[in-house]
Amino acid sequence: MKRLPAKQLYCIFFLLIQMPLFTQETSSSIYMDFRNQKISDIIYAVADVCGKSVIIDETVSGNATFRFEDRDFESALDRFAKHCQLYVEKNDGVYSITKVQINANSNNGKLSINTENVQIEPFINMLSRYTNRTILFDNLPNATVTIRIAEASLEDVLNLAIVKLPGFGLERIADGFYITKSAGNLNKRNIDIFTMSEAGGKFSCNIQKASFANVIETLFKKGGKEYSLLSKPSITLENMAYTDKSFDELLSLILSQCNCDFSADGGIYYIYEIQKKDVIKKFKKIRIIKVKNISIETLASILPNELNAQGFIKQDKNSNSLILTGSPSEINPIEEFIRKVDVPLNDRNYKSFYFENTNAKDAVSLIPKALLLSDIIMLPSDNGFATQVTQESEAKLSEFIAMLDSKKQSKAIRLKYIKSDELIKSLPTPISKESITETNEPTLVFFSGTEKQFEDFSKSLEEIDLPKQQIKYQLFVVQRQKTSGLNWGTSLNIGNTSEGSGYSWSGAVSNIFNINFDIISKFGVQFAGSLNAELSEGKSRVLADTTLNGISGESLSFSNTNTTRYRDIIVDTKGDLYTSTTREISSGLTLSINGWASGDGMVTVKVDAQVSKQGNTESSSANSNGTDTTPPPSTSEKKVSTNVRTKSGEPVVIGGLFQQEEEISEKRVPGFGNIPLLGWLFKKKVVSMVETEFVIYLVPFVEKQDVQAISEEANLERLKKKYGEAVL
């Protein structure tokens, strides 16, 4: 019989490994196991066994590994569809299977789509068939797209589908679309991102970035009106959002961004360009303010420089009035100032205000200008000031001064999780360092201030005095001998299964089970088998297998070293007296870890590793005085420092620490080498250099803490106090 070539035997072997494993029916009607098979082939196989009809569209692709243990076809198909993100629909006993779920609103034609990791070309073809719209496209790259969107137009969906494709743009052609590949900067096409809707005669739009022509075209289509563009400005509209506007209002708002205006004649809107200054005129306001209590000359002399802009103010001396022209933001401050100073003088008088617990010079800078009718006059002899007030303003000013001059109190505060120096560094802006007094105990401080300040400080302390996150590190260090071959005979066996329908593997990993580090779940069975074989043959040895716990942001250290001691003798100049000291040299593995946990479940770890090796110690020698000295041994060091970022529970592997070690082995002639005395003639020692590598496996885990969620209002209030209202 002719033997098959080795290459063909290997092919048959791997085909048998990949074949689905079918076992006899036990307690389930369907019991099938698939390993890395096409999704469509898996569905067809199960349907064929159950005698069902299925239709799989072109969006279904990829491979899957799945075990069926179900009593009927529908339950099996439902579990498999959830596993692979498929959607199943049954019509007249036929099951239609797709990766794209599309629903259309019958009223407005908007689409709701749910799909994950589908090839972009079949997805676009399916959209074209479903909407009955022409969608042309150039050669698309082999990419997948994930879209979950509700109530969106076909154009919005296509823009989302191609937004990550470099160089592709979307064009409208008649009632269809064309996805085109840009051919350089001159032919580059921008993607329009905007929405336009109409409900009950009211129009709304949200424009992120879109061309002027496309926005106008969409608006007139929604409004069912005719228009003519007398000029076509090449302007891109950005960041515009309007809600519930009439057609003319929304058109006017859009045109104002492009220096354009419109006129309607015979039901047709004519759009034309105008000068920018003509557009600005629409927003200019004219206000006439009649000054009643002071003359306009006096008013002009006291008007602050930042408000006295000649372009905004005109004087009418005949009517003692001021004419203000400008935008609301320009003329409102001027009008507000005039209202404050144009008051009757007969009800004003000067009033003195005094402070008992606060310095007057420091306090007056905190008084709002709205409470003052005139400048403040400091009283030189007393802790106070004088200013002009009315009966109403005096009451408001007195109330504010009483709040500033409230008596301060000192209260002891016991910190729970942080120390006083950390508290000082984390104080929000309204609270000064001077109000905090530290004590000898790092967790006890005293706060000095008013009741209101203490209340604000207590609220801030609830967000500052929180426990730091803890990080657990699983550490596994292996010294591995570099070798090109590996004997798997003691670790891994491959043979027929009991049913005879395929192959299975089994292995002895007794060395792995003695290790606390979870090697199999983190690195897989193949790595575990390889490491077990290396440990069995002595080509690898475990240097560290431990778990370390630390606080986020703080350093941890681990060492596995040997210490050698030697004498260092010092002789005086005469040679009569000498002294000796014992010194130490450590060699082995030293590891330093500093991890920081972020809010997204990631851990950033800085690892400093050092491996040192001690050479042979020379024998002692006698000096001229007859004393013995032991010279220190030689040492060699290898260091590595790295920063890594990984998810909590994900392993990090650090290598690159290589060393050369001297290995001594003995060769002897069988039988003769064991003879006493004469056996030395039939054996010899062989000294060889072996290169080894230290590999560090580190798995950080962030321990979760039960911290109450901060409401949006509380978070905004905290930011407001810390950074001020300007940033909000």
Side-chain angles (χ1 to χ4, degrees):
M1 181 176 179
K2 186 177 179 180
R3 299 181 62 184
L4 292 174
K7 187 174 182 179
Q8 294 185 9
L9 288 175
Y10 281 125
C11 293
I12 294 174
F13 170 75
F14 283 109
L15 286 174
L16 290 174
I17 289 294
Q18 296 296 325
M19 288 178 58
L21 303 177
F22 297 91
T23 62
Q24 295 181 356
E25 180 178 347
T26 57
S27 61
S28 301
S29 299
I30 305 174
Y31 190 90
M32 309 175 73
D33 192 7
F34 296 89
R35 304 291 178 88
N36 197 25
Q37 300 295 311
K38 288 186 177 180
I39 294 176
S40 56
D41 291 347
I42 294 174
I43 298 174
Y44 284 132
V46 177
D48 185 54
V49 170
C50 299
K52 302 293 183 180
S53 298
V54 295
I55 299 175
I56 304 175
D57 67 12
E58 58 185 332
T59 62
V60 179
S61 61
N63 295 356
T65 298
F66 196 78
R67 178 188 294 273
F68 290 92
E69 294 181 358
D70 302 274
R71 296 194 176 277
D72 54 59
F73 176 74
E74 288 193 359
S75 61
L77 184 59
D78 181 65
R79 280 201 317 113
F80 185 69
K82 292 179 180 178
H83 175 71
C84 298
Q85 294 90 38
L86 303 176
Y87 301 96
V88 181
E89 184 178 352
K90 182 179 180 182
N91 292 316
D92 298 331
V94 179
Y95 297 85
S96 300
I97 302 169
T98 181
K99 288 196 76 171
V100 182
Q101 186 183 47
I102 305 179
N103 295 312
N105 191 323
S106 57
N107 296 326
N108 54 23
K110 294 297 182 67
L111 301 176
S112 296
I113 298 177
N114 198 353
T115 184
E116 182 174 345
N117 292 331
V118 66
Q119 292 290 329
I120 188 169
E121 186 169 331
F123 174 68
I124 293 175
N125 290 332
M126 187 173 184
L127 281 177
S128 178
R129 290 194 300 269
Y130 190 89
T131 60
N132 198 24
R133 301 275 293 275
T134 300
I135 305 176
L136 305 175
F137 50 84
D138 293 337
N139 290 331
L140 299 174
N142 186 20
T144 60
V145 62
T146 298
I147 294 179
R148 292 182 174 89
I149 193 170
E151 294 292 318
S153 65
L154 177 59
E155 184 175 0
D156 293 338
V157 175
L158 291 176
N159 279 325
L160 282 176
I162 67 173
V163 69
K164 292 183 67 176
L165 300 183
F168 280 84
L170 184 66
E171 274 192 1
R172 290 186 181 182
I173 300 178
D175 194 38
F177 297 94
Y178 177 35
I179 301 173
T180 176
K181 176 76 173 178
S182 300
N185 294 330
L186 294 177
N187 296 326
K188 188 175 181 180
R189 298 173 171 86
N190 295 322
I191 300 175
D192 290 345
I193 305 177
F194 74 98
T195 59
M196 186 80 65
S197 61
E198 182 271 335
K202 296 292 184 179
F203 294 80
S204 301
C205 72
N206 191 326
I207 303 172
Q208 297 184 28
K209 186 177 181 181
S211 66
F212 168 76
N214 286 344
V215 173
I216 292 298
E217 179 185 357
T218 305
L219 175 61
F220 276 89
K221 281 186 178 181
K222 294 287 184 182
K225 300 180 184 297
E226 297 178 314
Y227 73 100
S228 175
L229 275 176
L230 301 182
S231 62
K232 297 182 179 180
S234 56
I235 295 177
T236 300
L237 301 175
E238 295 184 11
N239 303 325
M240 297 174 59
Y242 301 107
T243 304
D244 294 336
K245 304 294 182 184
S246 66
F247 181 85
D248 287 355
E249 287 176 338
L250 184 56
L251 177 60
S252 179
L253 289 170
I254 294 174
L255 294 180
S256 64
Q257 300 293 321
C258 309
N259 297 336
C260 292
D261 204 349
F262 72 92
S263 297
D265 186 11
I268 300 176
Y269 286 76
Y270 296 92
I271 299 174
Y272 49 86
E273 289 188 82
I274 58 176
Q275 296 295 324
K276 184 178 181 179
K277 62 181 182 179
D278 296 326
V279 179
I280 297 177
K281 289 179 181 179
K282 297 181 179 180
F283 303 100
K284 294 290 185 180
K285 303 294 182 181
I286 299 176
R287 297 179 188 174
I288 301 175
I289 301 176
K290 186 173 180 59
V291 182
K292 300 179 181 179
N293 302 293
I294 57 177
S295 65
I296 57 174
E297 291 85 356
T298 304
L299 178 61
S301 64
I302 64 174
L303 196 66
N305 292 331
E306 61 269 17
L307 300 179
N308 192 10
Q310 298 298 326
F312 302 148
I313 304 174
K314 298 294 183 183
Q315 298 181 8
D316 183 4
K317 296 182 180 180
N318 295 327
S319 61
N320 200 43
S321 302
L322 288 182
I323 303 173
L324 305 181
T325 305
S327 65
S329 61
E330 293 169 338
I331 64 178
N332 282 345
I334 302 175
E335 183 177 2
E336 182 180 356
F337 178 81
I338 295 173
R339 299 299 183 196
K340 288 183 178 180
V341 299
D342 186 24
V343 294
L345 299 178
N346 52 6
D347 63 345
R348 290 190 184 188
N349 58 355
Y350 278 92
K351 175 74 176 178
S352 298
F353 299 89
Y354 298 93
F355 294 89
E356 296 181 1
N357 304 303
T358 306
N359 185 278
K361 292 183 178 180
D362 297 332
V364 294
S365 61
L366 303 176
I367 300 176
K369 293 183 179 180
L371 298 179
L372 300 174
L373 302 181
S374 64
D375 293 335
I376 288 176
I377 302 173
M378 300 300 300
L379 301 178
S381 58
D382 299 310
N383 189 31
F385 68 92
T387 187
Q388 196 178 66
V389 295
T390 62
Q391 185 177 0
E392 180 182 0
S393 66
E394 180 184 356
K396 293 181 179 179
L397 187 57
S398 298
E399 181 182 357
F400 186 81
I401 291 175
M403 183 182 67
L404 288 179
D405 196 34
S406 56
K407 188 176 181 181
K408 294 184 177 180
Q409 298 178 356
S410 182
K411 296 187 179 181
I413 298 175
R414 179 71 66 175
L415 302 176
K416 297 179 181 178
Y417 304 105
I418 62 175
K419 297 180 180 179
S420 56
D421 56 344
E422 296 177 279
L423 173 65
I424 297 298
K425 296 178 183 178
S426 307
L427 285 177
T429 302
I431 301 174
S432 63
K433 295 181 180 179
E434 290 74 15
S435 61
I436 305 296
T437 303
E438 299 183 73
T439 64
N440 293 331
E441 294 187 38
T443 59
L444 178 65
V445 296
F446 284 90
F447 177 83
S448 177
T450 63
E451 286 292 338
K452 181 65 169 58
Q453 291 173 334
F454 180 75
E455 182 182 349
D456 295 339
F457 174 73
S458 299
K459 291 180 180 179
S460 301
L461 190 61
E462 293 177 358
E463 304 173 13
I464 298 174
D465 191 13
L466 297 174
K468 292 185 178 180
Q469 286 186 299
Q470 287 191 334
I471 305 177
K472 180 175 71 175
Y473 304 92
Q474 289 186 352
L475 178 65
F476 184 60
V477 183
V478 178
Q479 181 183 6
R480 175 172 294 167
Q481 178 180 323
K482 296 191 66 177
T483 178
S484 58
L486 186 63
N487 182 14
W488 287 71
T490 61
S491 299
L492 194 64
N493 297 314
I494 300 178
N496 291 327
T497 61
S498 59
E499 292 81 2
S501 58
Y503 287 90
S504 66
W505 68 271
S506 63
V509 289
S510 59
N511 293 318
I512 300 301
F513 291 129
N514 294 327
I515 298 174
N516 295 324
F517 191 87
D518 192 359
I519 296 174
I520 296 178
S521 64
K522 296 300 181 185
F523 299 101
V525 176
Q526 184 177 2
F527 177 83
S530 174
L531 180 60
N532 184 78
E534 292 178 0
L535 294 173
S536 300
E537 297 182 3
K539 295 182 178 180
S540 291
R541 64 191 182 99
V542 178
L543 298 184
D545 178 23
T546 184
T547 299
L548 306 176
N549 291 278
I551 296 176
S552 175
E554 296 187 2
S555 298
L556 296 174
S557 61
F558 173 85
S559 61
N560 184 0
T561 58
N562 296 320
T563 302
T564 301
R565 297 175 177 85
Y566 67 95
R567 286 191 303 165
D568 188 5
I569 299 176
I570 303 174
V571 184
D572 64 357
T573 56
K574 295 181 180 181
D576 296 334
L577 299 175
Y578 67 90
T579 59
S580 65
T581 58
T582 302
R583 301 185 183 275
E584 296 181 350
I585 293 180
S586 298
S587 61
L589 173 66
T590 303
L591 190 66
S592 176
I593 304 171
N594 190 319
W596 175 78
S598 59
D600 57 355
M602 302 293 289
V603 182
T604 303
V605 185
K606 180 182 180 182
V607 181
D608 294 315
Q610 174 180 307
V611 177
S612 58
K613 183 177 182 297
Q614 177 181 310
N616 295 326
T617 304
E618 298 181 4
S619 60
S620 301
S621 60
N623 57 20
S624 60
N625 295 322
T627 59
D628 293 336
T629 60
T630 303
S634 61
T635 58
S636 62
E637 296 180 349
K638 305 290 183 182
K639 297 181 180 180
V640 63
S641 180
T642 182
N643 289 278
V644 294
R645 192 168 190 262
T646 182
K647 288 184 178 180
S648 175
E650 294 294 329
V652 175
V653 183
I654 302 171
L657 294 169
F658 295 96
Q659 276 194 347
Q660 286 189 342
E661 294 184 352
E662 185 180 85
E663 186 179 82
I664 301 175
S665 61
E666 185 179 76
K667 292 186 178 180
R668 64 177 65 189
V669 178
F672 294 99
N674 297 326
I675 300 174
L677 299 179
L678 292 177
W680 289 100
L681 301 175
F682 300 96
K683 59 184 178 181
K684 64 176 181 178
K685 289 186 178 180
V686 179
V687 180
S688 60
M689 298 301 295
V690 178
E691 186 176 8
T692 61
E693 179 186 8
F694 290 82
V695 184
I696 302 169
Y697 302 91
L698 183 67
V699 183
F701 294 89
V702 179
E703 296 186 1
K704 296 183 178 179
Q705 299 176 353
D706 296 330
V707 180
Q708 295 182 352
I710 302 175
S711 65
E712 182 179 1
E713 293 78 9
N715 189 42
L716 288 175
E717 185 66 20
R718 179 181 66 83
L719 294 176
K720 180 178 178 182
K721 290 180 179 179
K722 186 171 184 179
Y723 300 106
E725 297 186 12
V727 297
L728 300 178

